[in-house]
Amino acid sequence: MPKRNDLEQKALHYVVGTGYQGVLQSDLWRELGASSREGSRVSIKLEEKGLIRREKELQEGRWTYRLYPKRLPASIETIVDCPCLLCPDNARCDPTTALSPKSCPKLTDWILNLGKPPAPAATDSEGQTASAPEPSIPEDDSVAESLDT
Ligand code: SF4
């Protein structure tokens, strides 16, 4: 039988890997090769440490728990649409100047909409999905020059 701390680490790692979907307690112990009794002890321990959340769930007529991680590791997908990444003013933006993230409406909107589902695609009068306008690309090097200064 694995040591309890090893089992806690493995269990936590597995639960974190299930993300928002979580995992049934019984499936987790089967996966880790632990007994349900040992598994219950470990999941209670992880919950007491504030590392996971347990929610009661009825499965095939029996009550069990679904385990969710309380924290998920950050991923690149969480910032891929941050307006700063493609902002032409990025090089000049600074919290100590007038052009500042503290007062940027684009950044504020992005932060306020974090976690919300994306807005549905706009449709025209014939029900066709309208495509997003193409970004305008200047013909000259004015943007690049403004970033060099
Ligand atoms: S905070 Fe605003 S102005 Fe500054 S880089 Fe981000 S989007 Fe651009």
Side-chain angles (χ1 to χ4, degrees):
M1 181 165 37
K3 282 195 227 165
R4 189 178 300 175
N5 267 355
D6 290 348
L7 201 55
E8 277 184 35
Q9 283 295 321
K10 285 180 185 170
L12 180 60
H13 185 76
Y14 192 89
V15 173
V16 167
T18 64
Y20 295 109
Q21 192 177 352
V23 61
L24 287 177
Q25 190 167 277
S26 52
D27 291 345
L28 175 62
W29 309 132
R30 204 169 299 122
E31 186 70 32
L32 298 179
S35 69
S36 63
R37 184 181 179 144
E38 184 65 15
S40 292
R41 277 199 210 116
V42 170
S43 69
I44 290 168
K45 210 60 168 177
L46 291 174
E47 187 179 44
E48 285 172 355
K49 289 180 178 178
L51 299 170
I52 66 167
R53 187 179 86 243
R54 297 189 316 148
E55 283 186 11
K56 254 186 162 179
E57 185 171 311
L58 193 60
Q59 276 287 321
E60 297 168 6
R62 296 185 65 179
W63 285 103
T64 182
Y65 286 96
R66 185 171 288 274
L67 312 177
Y68 298 94
K70 280 217 169 166
R71 289 184 167 199
L72 290 172
S75 70
I76 194 73
E77 285 79 25
T78 59
I79 61 159
V80 78
D81 59 347
C82 174
C84 302
L85 298 178
L86 294 175
C87 178
D89 297 322
N90 188 306
R92 296 183 298 124
C93 185
D94 186 300
T96 61
T97 64
L99 185 61
S100 165
K102 292 182 194 172
S103 57
C104 174
K106 287 185 288 186
L107 184 60
T108 301
D109 284 351
W110 180 74
I111 291 169
L112 292 175
N113 287 309
L114 283 173
K116 292 182 184 171
T123 55
D124 62 19
S125 58
E126 295 169 7
Q128 299 292 315
T129 302
S131 57
E134 291 292 320
S136 63
I137 300 171
E139 305 255 330
D140 58 22
D141 287 339
S142 59
V143 173
E145 286 166 8
S146 72
L147 294 176
D148 289 342
T149 55

